[in-house]
Amino acid sequence: MYRFFLPRLSRSFAPPRSQLHQFSRAMATASTPDINKMLYAPLAEIDPEVQNIIDKETWRQFTGLELIASENLTSRATMEANGSILTNKYSEGLPNQRYYGGNEYIDELEVLCRKRALEAFHLDPAKWGVNVQPYSGSTANFAALTALIQPQDRLMGLGLPDGGHLTHGYYTAKKKMTASSIYFQSLPYAIDAKTNLIDYAGIEAQAKIFKPRLIICGASAYPRDWDYAVLKKITETEGAWLMCDMAHTSGLIAAQELNNPFEYCDVVTTTTHKTLRGPRAGLIFFRKDSPNAPDLEKRVNDAVFPACQGGPHNNTIAGIATALLQVARPEWRAYAKQVVANARTLADELVANGHKLQTGGTDNHLVLWDLRPMGLTGSKVEKVCDLMGITINKNAISGDKSAQTPGGIRLGTSALTSRDMVESDMKIVAGFLHRAVELSLLLQKEAGSKKLVDFVRVATTPEEGKVGYQKVKELRNEVRAFASKWPLPGVDVSVLKKPEGFLDH
């Protein structure tokens, strides 16, 4: 099948399984008891079912186009670090303050990761600190809330239908959906109905009445940059904290391609796997000289552990450190520029084909596509693209009446840029997307109803007198032929073969 590159073997080729088996068995000794022999067997031998699933997912990524804005392709080096022996170690606490012994090298690693995080974002260690232990962006956000405000304090964040995130206080008329709305009083702010840009005047007016203790900026589906200076003035007037969740844009901010939240915010959180191109985890940056709380460093660290989570995942922290080393290299800014250039090209091509985009374009890595003028839902276009081998996600558009049938699609260019694609390639991808919409309209017509179940049936089942199914197959073959021309980080694609059980839909 294929093999990821292994750090202790040759770095220039992926050895066949027979060699891997010999290598793994050589690590055991003649006296190794039966109860421990399984510890030395490679995955393909000990668990071929899981190996096959990994093989199928690798083939899917290789033969498809990843356009989900919250995804990226991490590096071979990061995968090596993340899959390392560091997974064995427990290390609750902070460097030099652990609850377990044997952490001298874990301490060294975490201190190095902190240093690289500050360097990646051009921060003065005398003014800023960072906690690198959060398991994800969501846990980083809740730990930050735990550090900054008390239960039932008030917070404001961008509403989910306008591009915000679940962890920014989302609730519905019938239910408080996430911990940030269950344990705190939250009030969403919105984008301007005419421009679809953040309504800063509206935030100011709401804050005067609501009196929040915290305002969160940042989004998961907002294609423009933020005016942090305006938000800072609002929080200063109301005596509130300003926190930025830069999960989606952190890689672009590190490259200085977008406005800098660190100039104005008290706390900045991020995931590490989106535009930052690392493993799946989170970071919390905190201002050491915050006039609101001189003990902010202790508050953040205590909120992460023991308040919100247990021992850190040291293998993931190693992956973060390796990814941040890459972010600090000169090539990173060129990568970030290409991500933005690709997003703008994708946006321009869709508009040229008659499609409507939220805000008419983008400043960052993502494009928010409004399908409502076409008479389609995001669910249907997502499904057609899945059948074609293009991975996208349905997304609510401001004004949608139901989150179950969102009117839009969110697109991102980080992963395709990591596969070496440039503007000319984005034009081809935009062409695939345009044809996917045309095909969706045909399938909807052939279904004879607007129900998703009928739509899926005609897309996946040949029926006499209907051509949609055949056109899906034809477009899928084109997409896979195009996608398979490109490398896939961390994988030797020259030896890849279609694995058993891979679904052709």
Side-chain angles (χ1 to χ4, degrees):
M1 185 57 59
Y2 75 93
R3 187 63 57 228
F4 288 107
F5 293 99
L6 298 176
R8 292 193 181 94
L9 299 179
S10 169
R11 294 178 178 270
S12 61
F13 72 99
R17 282 181 176 169
S18 60
Q19 291 183 25
L20 283 171
H21 293 184
Q22 293 169 9
F23 172 73
S24 63
R25 289 182 180 125
M27 292 192 297
T29 67
S31 61
T32 298
D34 288 344
I35 60 170
N36 284 335
K37 284 181 179 178
M38 70 179 73
L39 298 177
Y40 301 94
L43 180 61
E45 178 181 304
I46 197 73
D47 195 346
E49 288 181 273
V50 168
Q51 181 65 65
N52 177 251
I53 292 170
I54 294 172
D55 291 345
K56 289 186 289 189
E57 173 60 16
T58 303
W59 186 257
R60 186 194 69 82
Q61 291 188 26
F62 173 58
T63 61
L65 300 174
E66 297 293 329
L67 277 162
I68 292 179
S70 53
E71 294 184 358
N72 206 339
L73 307 176
T74 196
S75 67
R76 165 186 163 183
T78 296
M79 284 191 276
E80 289 178 0
N82 202 31
S84 69
I85 201 168
L86 294 170
T87 195
N88 293 344
K89 191 71 191 87
Y90 231 122
S91 54
E92 289 179 342
L94 296 168
N96 303 312
Q97 302 173 45
R98 305 290 186 181
Y99 290 82
Y100 294 87
N103 273 295
E104 56 269 34
Y105 301 116
I106 300 301
D107 286 357
E108 182 180 355
L109 172 67
E110 189 166 331
V111 169
L112 176 65
C113 189
R114 290 178 183 175
K115 176 176 178 288
R116 288 181 177 177
L118 297 177
E119 289 174 348
F121 290 94
H122 319 285
L123 299 175
D124 182 350
K127 296 181 178 180
W128 283 90
V130 60
N131 189 298
V132 301
Q133 294 187 7
Y135 302 148
S136 70
S138 293
T139 55
N141 280 350
F142 194 74
L145 298 184
T146 302
L148 294 173
I149 56 180
Q150 296 297 309
Q152 296 308 312
D153 274 355
R154 298 177 179 183
L155 66 87
M156 291 172 59
L158 181 62
L160 192 69
D162 289 342
H165 192 260
L166 289 166
T167 59
H168 299 176
Y170 178 60
Y171 61 89
T172 68
K174 295 182 178 180
K175 185 177 181 180
K176 293 183 176 181
M177 301 297 292
T178 61
S180 53
S181 64
I182 292 171
Y183 297 110
F184 307 101
Q185 298 182 57
S186 59
L187 179 69
Y189 56 85
I191 58 175
D192 183 274
K194 293 182 179 179
T195 65
N196 290 323
L197 300 175
I198 297 295
D199 183 2
Y200 294 101
I203 297 173
E204 184 177 16
Q206 284 179 288
K208 285 181 180 179
I209 298 171
F210 188 62
K211 300 298 181 185
R213 285 290 296 127
L214 169 69
I215 293 179
I216 304 173
C217 54
S220 64
Y222 182 64
R224 297 298 183 179
D225 207 349
W226 288 76
D227 191 335
Y228 302 108
V230 170
L231 291 169
K232 183 62 176 177
K233 289 180 181 178
I234 295 171
T235 56
E236 286 179 338
T237 299
E238 303 303 332
W241 296 96
L242 181 59
M243 168 180 150
C244 175
D245 176 359
M246 62 171 184
H248 263 271
T249 56
S250 55
L252 308 180
I253 289 170
Q256 301 177 316
E257 287 298 303
L258 294 174
N259 293 334
N260 184 6
F262 293 96
E263 294 181 15
Y264 303 99
C265 296
D266 300 287
V267 167
V268 179
T269 65
T270 183
T271 54
T272 53
H273 55 274
K274 298 185 177 80
T275 53
L276 211 55
R277 205 161 64 175
R280 302 186 65 85
L283 303 172
I284 305 174
F285 296 87
F286 47 85
R287 188 181 290 276
K288 289 182 176 180
D289 60 349
S290 173
N292 294 328
D295 63 339
L296 186 55
E297 179 172 6
K298 177 173 172 50
R299 288 167 64 167
V300 169
N301 288 336
D302 288 349
V304 174
F305 172 81
C308 291
Q309 63 183 53
H313 297 169
N314 298 302
N315 55 311
T316 304
I317 291 175
I320 296 170
T322 299
L324 291 170
L325 178 68
Q326 297 168 27
V327 173
R329 293 174 62 124
E331 301 96 319
W332 184 261
R333 186 160 191 179
Y335 166 72
K337 283 181 178 292
Q338 190 63 58
V339 168
V340 176
N342 283 349
R344 286 176 172 161
T345 298
L346 183 62
D348 291 344
E349 286 296 303
L350 291 174
V351 170
N353 279 309
H355 299 291
K356 180 182 178 183
L357 305 181
Q358 187 93 304
T359 75
T362 182
D363 293 329
N364 54 36
H365 66 298
L366 69 84
V367 174
L368 195 55
W369 185 2
D370 188 349
L371 295 165
R372 294 173 299 188
M374 307 295 294
L376 291 168
T377 63
S379 305
K380 290 177 179 176
V381 176
E382 178 190 282
K383 186 61 181 179
V384 166
C385 285
D386 243 354
L387 296 172
M388 292 165 46
I390 299 179
T391 310
I392 60 179
N393 70 274
K394 56 185 176 291
N395 206 94
I397 300 289
S398 183
D400 276 347
K401 295 181 180 179
S402 172
Q404 302 303 315
T405 54
I409 288 290
R410 186 183 65 166
L411 306 170
T413 56
S414 298
L416 295 189
T417 309
S418 293
R419 290 189 74 181
D420 303 344
M421 297 187 200
V422 295
E423 291 93 330
S424 58
D425 307 303
M426 290 303 104
K427 293 181 180 181
I428 295 173
V429 173
F432 287 141
L433 292 169
H434 173 63
R435 291 165 64 189
V437 167
E438 293 183 320
L439 181 51
S440 297
L441 290 169
L442 171 63
L443 291 167
Q444 185 167 271
K445 182 179 179 180
E446 291 187 339
S449 80
K450 291 196 173 182
K451 293 181 179 179
L452 183 60
V453 63
D454 294 328
F455 181 88
V456 172
R457 187 193 73 250
V458 297
T460 57
T461 308
E463 296 183 19
E464 186 175 351
K466 296 179 180 179
V467 299
Y469 170 77
Q470 185 59 37
K471 289 186 176 294
V472 169
K473 289 180 62 178
E474 292 171 0
L475 197 45
R476 177 169 68 235
N477 290 336
E478 287 188 50
V479 169
R480 287 182 176 169
F482 175 76
S484 300
K485 297 191 307 181
W486 304 94
L488 185 64
V491 177
D492 181 358
V493 299
S494 68
V495 298
L496 278 184
K497 295 180 180 179
K498 183 178 176 180
E500 181 181 351
F502 183 82
L503 295 175
D504 277 317
H505 299 289

